Amino acid sequence: MATSEGDPVAPVLAALASMRGNVDRTQKSQAHEYLEKFQKSPEAWTTTHTILASLDIPTEVKLFAVTTLKGKITYDLDQIPRESLPALRDSILSQLKTFQDGPRPIRTQLCVCLANLAIQMLDWKDVLQHVGSTLGSSAGDCILEFLRVLPEEVTEGRRINLTEEELDERTKELLEENAGQVLGLLTQYAQSSASAASNPHLLECISSWLREIPSANVVNSPLLDTIINALSNDKSFEAAVDCMCNLYKDTREVDESIEIIQRLYPRIIALRPKIAQAAETEDSDTFKGITRLFAEAGEAWVVLIARLPAEFRSLVEAILECCARDGDREAVSLTFIFWYEFKQMITLEKYIPARQEYTDVFASLVDVMVKHLEFPTPEDGNESDLFGGDREQEEKFREFRHQMGDVLKDCCEVITVGQCLGKSFLLIKSWIAKYGPQVTGDKIPHWQELEAPLFGLRAMGRMVSPEENEVLPQIIPLMVQIPNHEKLQFQAIMALGRYTEWTAQHPEYLQPQLNFTIAGFNHESKEVVRAAALAFKFFGTDCKKLLQNNVTQLHAFYESVIDKLPSGSQEEVTEGAAYVVSAQPLDKVHASLKLYCDPLIKRLMSLANEAMKNNERRAKLDVADYLGLITIFIQTVQPYVSPTEENPAVTYCQEILPVLSAVAENFTNFTPILESVCKCWRYMVLSYRTAVLPLLPNLAQQLATGFQNSRQGCFLWATDSVLREFATGAEFIDEATSQAIYEFFEQQAIAFLRILNDLPPEDLPDVIQDSFRLFDDALIYYNHQLIPAPISEPILNAAISSLSLQQEEPLSPTLHYLQDFISYGTDHPNSSNFDDEPPSTRAPNPIEIQTTVKRHISTHGENLVLTIMTGLMWRFPRECFPDASGVLLGLFELLPQQTAVWVEQTISKLPQGTVKAGEAERLMGAIRLKVHQRDLRKVRVLLQDFTNSYRRRNVAPREGLGRIEATRFRFNG
């Protein structure tokens, strides 16, 4: 952006105009870069004041200016001499007087500016008096706004570059010592006039100061009447609800707050008539506010309700009434947390009397929830679109139903499953008696009233014991006769899928349910077909013993549907079939696998040939899908075979291994197929463990060749499973085999290092992720061979190079590897073994291993510290911060003095002007002190605080800063 020395405001206005205008991407990028640089420049102090003082500059530009000023005060206050801070304060106060009547966003940001300045002006002791006297009595809303933001900004004071001691002292001065004065000021203001008492800003201010003012002081003051009365004023209602709910939060320790609760409870219960009033007037906002008022009171006092069920019954009944009267179903979700926490309490043995007291309430709650489960009845009669085209509302309703299903589960725990199931059963019986005779073809009257209890049955399925013998024997025969309506069929089949564990204990009910479910595969609705596939999976999983003699008949069904289903349903049906195969006697496992998998292999080969000819993505994805189906059989069919016997499943794996290898060799550039093949190979190892030893030479060769040819990390993912299973010390594995596995690992590692030498890390995030998971396992199982090996140092360099990435997925395993590698320089490394011995009693790490690690770290530690710290300041996602600081902690534990030097060298390389004067010296002084005291955990905290502060000040608000470039990885092996 061009700048103008004569008018510093002009380039800012031009840049903002470009950001908001219809200009090309390049101009927007230039404008963005200019504004980011402007926001951190010293000139921004005067320019923002000039903009705010101008009468002819638009409001949105002034909002940008005041937001910039807030950032300057938070992060760049060191740019102003300390003796000039009073003038800055007076200037902000002057602007506040100008904007005291609005616009509110600007006024709010100015108040935040003043609050942040007050926190950092340690010698400004009379903050409240000064602000009040300067703004004057006519600026009531403005003063209230400042009072509201002050506690919030002090609480967020970690953003500000003060020491912990300074921040603690300032918090005491600004909040604790002023709490009584603020309570008096707010009370005085509330009593000054009726409009003041109903001012939402007053109530917001009370809410904010409840962090500091004890709730007892508010409840015992005239402010309680002010809050309660504000609930009857539309203007102040929402703020009053917030205020009351914040009061509740301070009374959760009910024994300490019993007197406060005794004062609040009758005032809250007196508001119960407002529930009916809001419902009758269809005032949804008020109804939600009243519901929240009662529900959050219940959450806060749930322990007292359980202890004194009779005394607090009115509150629980009020919450139930809110649920029952919520015709729009907009507020009922606000009560769900209460019902869950209340259930958790009264199902404890000590609160059995409360459980007995409230059985009728929970019985009514079941009725209310089932009624709310009903789909809407379309006013225009269009059954194909129940929500009038509002897809967002439809999705919201579906999610909402599952939440209500959770409430039904809570009810099951309180009033027993039998009672809850019985209610759904009676509703189904009632519908059949009332509307059953009217059903003709696809005309099913009031189907919503039948579908809702079916959904309820589905939701409660997991709560039902397999031994239940009263209600389900009556319900199941009705469910398999549900009329042919899409949503009824869907819900009935889904419900049957939830009761397959019960069916396994009641085999006489299996065949009708299975027939009903299989018939669903022929339904015209895709949703019903998907439901049938999911239910079939559960029938196969839970009833496999009952179905083991039907394996041939089920195969005919499987073959008839598998090609017609979407991918997800194919997997579910396959899983159900695989469980039935897994129940076969050992002598039939191989034949059953061939029965089901050979046709899949034939389809796979045909699809692969077609995909090679046409080179179409869809055809290739089909290949990957069928590979996934074969993998499901390998995952699921795991016969028990003694180590001396041949495993029939492994025999079948040997038969199909050439086909899988050929597929991998022919699709080296299509990742989904390669990932599917590797997943299949991986599960051969995981499922059959050491029994796959006969496959191992061919499998290892395919993994090595595949990785070299494709450069895909999935081959390393599969390699990792081989390494873990056949490592040194594994049961039934001889030393020669374990040594061969280590050599195979080194071969894969060298291939990775060569790839990383040829390509930058940015091109290899998935490969890096899988590589360092593999390397970390190699540290666990082969540390005595890996660490002294020549390949160890290049792997360390590769890890440092990989830290230039910005994604969590590759960074996390890389950082884990570094932490574990560094720990091998100590007596007791992180991952030396998995036994239950405490570290102090384990065999010490050999001194040769420790020396090797220290030598490598001494050589590469400076670059490692540089990369970790700049990552914390610029690149790393927040989820990686703990692991990254853990690496620094490990370095300080290993080489404390040298690591402190590396940290100092890194800080000296940061861009000029990004570190405040004296900040580096204070940090290094504190680090050296803690290192001398061996308080290394505190060193970690100091570095976290420094990098977080640097990131917020220089990176997070602005982009386009100069960065320290990561060193390019080089490998000559």
Side-chain angles (χ1 to χ4, degrees):
M1 286 297 297
T3 60
S4 169
E5 294 184 7
D7 183 4
V9 175
V12 176
L13 296 177
L16 288 170
S18 295
M19 291 293 293
R20 296 183 173 90
N22 185 21
V23 299
D24 61 41
R25 178 179 290 272
T26 302
Q27 287 180 274
K28 283 186 182 290
S29 177
Q30 291 173 347
H32 184 270
E33 182 178 354
Y34 170 78
L35 292 173
E36 289 287 358
K37 290 179 178 178
F38 162 76
Q39 285 183 308
K40 73 168 188 174
S41 68
E43 295 76 23
W45 291 103
T46 54
T47 304
T48 53
H49 280 78
T50 302
I51 291 173
L52 289 170
S54 176
L55 298 177
D56 56 353
I57 287 180
T59 299
E60 59 268 22
V61 176
K62 292 185 177 182
L63 186 57
F64 169 79
V66 74
T67 303
T68 298
L69 181 60
K70 179 182 69 173
K72 300 298 289 180
I73 292 171
T74 303
Y75 302 118
D76 299 332
L77 200 60
D78 61 301
Q79 293 176 347
I80 294 181
R82 299 298 298 180
E83 60 270 17
S84 299
L85 294 184
L88 174 61
R89 174 194 63 196
D90 294 343
S91 173
I92 295 172
L93 283 167
S94 175
Q95 296 291 351
L96 265 175
K97 292 185 76 171
T98 301
F99 291 99
Q100 68 180 31
D101 296 322
R104 187 177 180 185
I106 295 177
R107 186 181 72 197
T108 300
Q109 292 300 319
L110 284 169
C111 288
V112 172
C113 291
L114 189 60
N116 280 319
L117 183 59
I119 296 168
Q120 297 179 78
M121 283 184 67
L122 304 181
D123 52 353
W124 185 14
K125 303 298 183 182
D126 60 340
V127 173
L128 299 190
Q129 296 90 330
H130 190 122
V131 172
S133 62
T134 303
L135 296 178
S137 58
S138 63
D141 283 355
C142 193
I143 295 173
L144 289 172
E145 187 99 63
F146 174 73
L147 288 175
R148 178 184 66 81
V149 303
L150 183 61
E152 297 170 0
E153 295 305 310
V154 172
T155 304
E156 294 295 321
R158 295 295 296 168
R159 296 176 303 165
I160 293 172
N161 195 29
L162 295 178
T163 65
E164 289 186 27
E165 293 76 14
E166 289 172 332
L167 186 58
D168 289 343
E169 180 62 27
R170 201 59 178 149
T171 300
K172 182 180 178 182
E173 291 174 354
L174 291 174
L175 301 185
E176 294 175 28
E177 295 176 1
N178 283 323
Q181 180 186 354
V182 170
L183 179 63
L185 285 172
L186 297 178
T187 303
Q188 182 180 354
Y189 177 81
Q191 294 175 330
S192 65
S193 68
S195 62
S198 61
N199 187 343
H201 300 314
L202 167 67
L203 297 156
E204 292 167 359
C205 196
I206 297 171
S207 291
S208 182
W209 275 87
L210 282 171
R211 293 176 171 90
E212 300 299 327
I213 302 173
S215 58
N217 293 5
V218 175
V219 170
N220 293 319
S221 76
L223 288 178
L224 179 59
D225 287 336
T226 300
I227 299 168
I228 295 292
N229 293 336
L231 291 167
S232 299
N233 187 303
D234 291 343
K235 182 178 71 170
S236 57
F237 175 77
E238 185 177 348
V241 170
D242 286 338
C243 199
M244 284 299 300
C245 292
N246 282 319
L247 272 176
Y248 300 155
K249 289 174 185 174
D250 206 28
T251 62
R252 284 182 176 271
E253 296 295 331
V254 293
D255 292 320
E256 299 173 7
S257 308
I258 188 65
E259 293 182 4
I260 305 172
I261 296 170
Q262 287 172 340
R263 289 210 62 183
L264 286 174
Y265 184 71
R267 305 296 297 272
I268 299 302
I269 294 302
L271 298 170
R272 186 172 174 182
K274 288 183 176 292
I275 301 173
Q277 292 170 12
E280 289 164 5
T281 58
E282 299 183 353
D283 185 344
S284 60
D285 289 338
T286 299
F287 191 88
K288 282 194 284 189
I290 290 295
T291 301
R292 183 183 167 209
L293 206 61
F294 286 107
E296 293 197 21
E299 291 170 32
W301 305 335
V302 68
V303 176
L304 272 184
I305 301 173
R307 285 184 195 167
L308 305 168
E311 288 85 342
F312 284 88
R313 185 178 176 92
S314 295
L315 177 57
V316 180
E317 288 177 342
I319 299 171
L320 178 63
E321 183 182 351
C322 290
C323 295
R325 290 185 178 273
D326 185 16
D328 294 333
R329 294 180 285 208
E330 292 286 340
V332 64
S333 61
L334 298 173
T335 70
F336 291 167
I337 294 175
F338 165 73
W339 294 121
Y340 172 75
E341 294 187 351
F342 190 33
K343 177 268 299 185
Q344 292 287 85
M345 278 292 164
I346 63 177
T347 51
L348 296 175
E349 188 174 350
K350 64 191 290 187
Y351 295 128
I352 285 178
R355 182 175 178 177
Q356 295 168 342
E357 170 78 21
Y358 285 108
T359 53
D360 62 323
V361 170
F362 276 87
S364 298
L365 182 61
V366 173
D367 297 333
V368 170
M369 289 296 134
V370 173
K371 187 64 180 174
H372 281 321
L373 287 172
E374 290 183 11
F375 272 98
T377 301
E379 296 180 3
D380 60 1
N382 182 9
E383 292 283 344
S384 63
D385 191 356
L386 301 175
F387 294 88
D390 190 340
R391 294 290 166 254
E392 182 180 350
Q393 187 65 25
E394 182 176 2
E395 188 58 36
K396 183 179 177 182
F397 176 70
R398 291 180 187 277
E399 181 183 347
F400 172 63
R401 295 182 103 204
H402 289 288
Q403 293 173 340
M404 287 191 289
D406 291 337
V407 177
L408 288 175
K409 293 172 193 170
D410 295 336
C411 295
C412 288
E413 293 190 58
V414 176
I415 62 171
T416 75
V417 175
Q419 286 191 53
C420 294
L421 288 178
K423 284 180 171 291
S424 286
F425 173 54
L426 291 176
L427 288 170
I428 293 171
K429 278 184 65 177
S430 173
W431 187 92
I432 292 173
K434 187 174 182 181
Y435 300 114
Q438 302 176 33
V439 174
T440 56
D442 59 352
K443 299 296 183 183
I444 302 175
H446 303 282
W447 61 266
Q448 292 91 338
E449 296 177 23
L450 176 58
E451 193 271 351
L454 286 172
F455 183 95
L457 286 172
R458 170 187 165 193
M460 294 183 282
R462 291 181 182 174
M463 309 300 297
V464 178
S465 165
E467 284 74 40
E468 205 284 327
N469 286 314
E470 295 181 11
V471 183
L472 283 180
Q474 301 178 70
I475 292 179
I476 296 296
L478 294 179
M479 290 172 64
V480 297
Q481 300 178 53
I482 290 298
N484 184 21
H485 181 284
E486 176 188 2
K487 285 187 164 48
L488 296 178
Q489 293 270 308
F490 173 84
Q491 217 54 257
I493 291 173
M494 291 293 285
L496 292 176
R498 289 294 177 92
Y499 291 94
T500 49
E501 289 185 23
W502 180 88
T503 303
Q505 302 297 319
H506 299 79
E508 65 272 25
Y509 294 95
L510 172 60
Q511 199 60 51
Q513 294 182 72
L514 195 59
N515 292 342
F516 184 74
T517 301
I518 289 176
F521 284 91
N522 297 318
H523 201 281
E524 60 186 13
S525 166
K526 293 180 180 179
E527 292 296 319
V528 174
V529 173
R530 289 192 182 100
L534 182 60
F536 183 85
K537 180 183 87 168
F538 293 130
F539 277 110
T541 302
D542 296 326
C543 304
K544 59 187 177 184
K545 293 291 186 183
L546 300 178
L547 294 169
Q548 64 178 348
N549 295 328
N550 302 94
V551 67
T552 304
Q553 297 93 313
L554 287 177
H555 174 255
F557 157 73
Y558 180 79
E559 281 291 300
S560 71
V561 300
I562 194 65
D563 293 329
K564 304 174 185 177
L565 298 173
S567 175
S569 296
Q570 284 182 332
E571 293 174 2
E572 289 162 351
V573 172
T574 300
E575 189 173 342
Y579 270 102
V580 177
V581 172
S582 74
Q584 299 303 302
L586 188 62
D587 60 345
K588 294 183 179 180
V589 168
H590 182 264
S592 297
L593 277 172
K594 285 185 71 65
L595 177 67
Y596 278 83
C597 293
D598 277 0
L600 294 178
I601 291 290
K602 289 180 181 177
R603 289 183 178 89
L604 173 66
M605 294 170 64
S606 174
L607 288 167
N609 289 331
E610 182 182 342
M612 290 170 61
K613 290 178 183 176
N614 301 333
N615 198 29
E616 293 179 356
R617 179 175 174 81
R618 180 64 260 173
K620 294 177 183 178
L621 290 175
D622 288 340
V623 173
D625 289 342
Y626 275 90
L627 283 164
L629 301 184
I630 295 165
T631 303
I632 289 171
F633 279 99
I634 292 171
Q635 281 180 268
T636 309
V637 182
Q638 300 180 23
Y640 174 75
V641 181
S642 72
T644 59
E645 293 181 273
E646 182 180 357
N647 189 315
V650 174
T651 302
Y652 187 72
C653 289
Q654 284 181 298
E655 295 172 10
I656 66 173
L657 188 60
V659 176
L660 301 180
S661 300
V663 171
E665 289 168 6
N666 284 291
F667 293 95
T668 55
N669 295 320
F670 195 70
T671 302
I673 287 179
L674 296 179
E675 288 178 343
S676 296
V677 171
C678 288
K679 183 178 180 181
C680 192
W681 286 340
R682 182 172 182 266
Y683 273 103
M684 288 180 184
V685 177
L686 296 180
S687 293
Y688 311 123
R689 310 186 74 84
T690 54
V692 300
L693 195 57
L695 278 71
L696 208 53
N698 287 338
L699 186 57
Q701 181 60 45
Q702 291 299 324
L703 290 172
T705 304
F707 181 51
Q708 291 171 8
N709 292 339
S710 70
R711 298 185 170 185
Q712 292 295 323
C714 54
F715 289 93
L716 301 181
W717 178 54
T719 299
D720 197 10
S721 62
V722 175
L723 182 142
R724 288 198 304 269
E725 191 58 43
F726 294 93
T728 302
E731 193 176 12
F732 307 121
I733 301 301
D734 58 52
E735 188 61 34
T737 300
S738 290
Q739 180 59 32
I741 294 301
Y742 175 74
E743 292 171 3
F744 168 49
F745 157 74
E746 274 209 357
Q747 180 184 358
Q748 296 289 70
I750 290 171
F752 163 72
L753 295 172
R754 288 172 176 162
I755 293 169
L756 189 60
N757 183 69
D758 296 339
L759 297 172
E762 292 76 14
D763 293 350
L764 301 166
D766 294 338
V767 178
I768 288 170
Q769 177 182 355
D770 292 318
S771 295
F772 282 98
R773 284 178 175 165
L774 174 63
F775 297 160
D776 210 22
D777 280 338
L779 272 182
I780 295 173
Y781 297 109
Y782 289 103
N783 49 78
H784 288 47
Q785 291 172 268
L786 173 59
I787 291 175
I791 200 174
S792 177
E793 190 170 7
I795 289 176
L796 175 61
N797 270 331
I800 296 171
S801 176
S802 299
L803 295 179
S804 62
L805 295 171
Q806 300 183 36
Q807 305 103 305
E808 178 190 0
E809 291 77 10
L811 283 172
S812 185
T814 306
L815 291 166
H816 289 168
Y817 173 80
L818 287 168
Q819 288 185 76
D820 291 340
F821 179 80
I822 292 166
S823 74
Y824 274 95
T826 67
D827 288 337
H828 300 287
N830 294 345
S831 53
S832 56
N833 59 40
F834 292 104
D835 56 38
D836 295 328
E837 291 182 63
S840 58
T841 63
R842 295 175 186 167
N845 189 29
I847 193 67
E848 298 83 8
I849 297 292
Q850 297 183 46
T851 302
T852 301
V853 171
K854 288 178 180 176
R855 184 176 71 250
H856 289 334
I857 294 299
S858 296
T859 303
H860 303 284
E862 179 182 355
N863 193 22
L864 176 57
V865 170
L866 176 85
T867 309
I868 290 284
M869 286 193 65
T870 53
L872 284 167
M873 289 185 278
W874 276 297
R875 294 184 303 276
F876 293 168
R878 189 163 297 277
E879 293 79 7
C880 292
F881 287 7
D883 289 330
S885 63
V887 173
L888 292 176
L889 176 62
L891 290 170
F892 272 105
E893 290 173 342
L894 189 66
L895 300 170
Q897 303 296 336
Q898 188 61 52
T899 303
V901 172
W902 293 332
V903 168
E904 188 169 23
Q905 289 172 342
T906 296
I907 294 173
S908 70
K909 295 177 181 178
L910 294 173
Q912 186 175 4
T914 61
V915 179
K916 295 182 178 181
E919 186 178 11
E921 292 76 11
R922 289 194 300 272
L923 172 67
M924 293 312 305
I927 286 175
R928 292 191 178 94
L929 175 63
K930 297 304 177 184
V931 167
H932 178 73
Q933 296 171 344
R934 297 298 298 170
D935 187 1
L936 300 181
R937 297 283 170 181
K938 186 63 175 178
V939 172
R940 182 181 189 175
V941 172
L942 288 168
L943 286 170
Q944 284 176 326
D945 287 348
F946 172 78
T947 54
N948 286 341
S949 174
Y950 187 96
R951 189 179 185 119
R952 284 193 296 260
R953 193 169 63 242
N954 297 304
V955 182
R958 316 167 181 107
E959 296 178 357
L961 299 174
R963 296 184 180 183
I964 299 171
E965 293 297 327
T967 303
R968 180 76 171 88
F969 176 74
R970 290 286 179 257
F971 177 65
N972 297 316

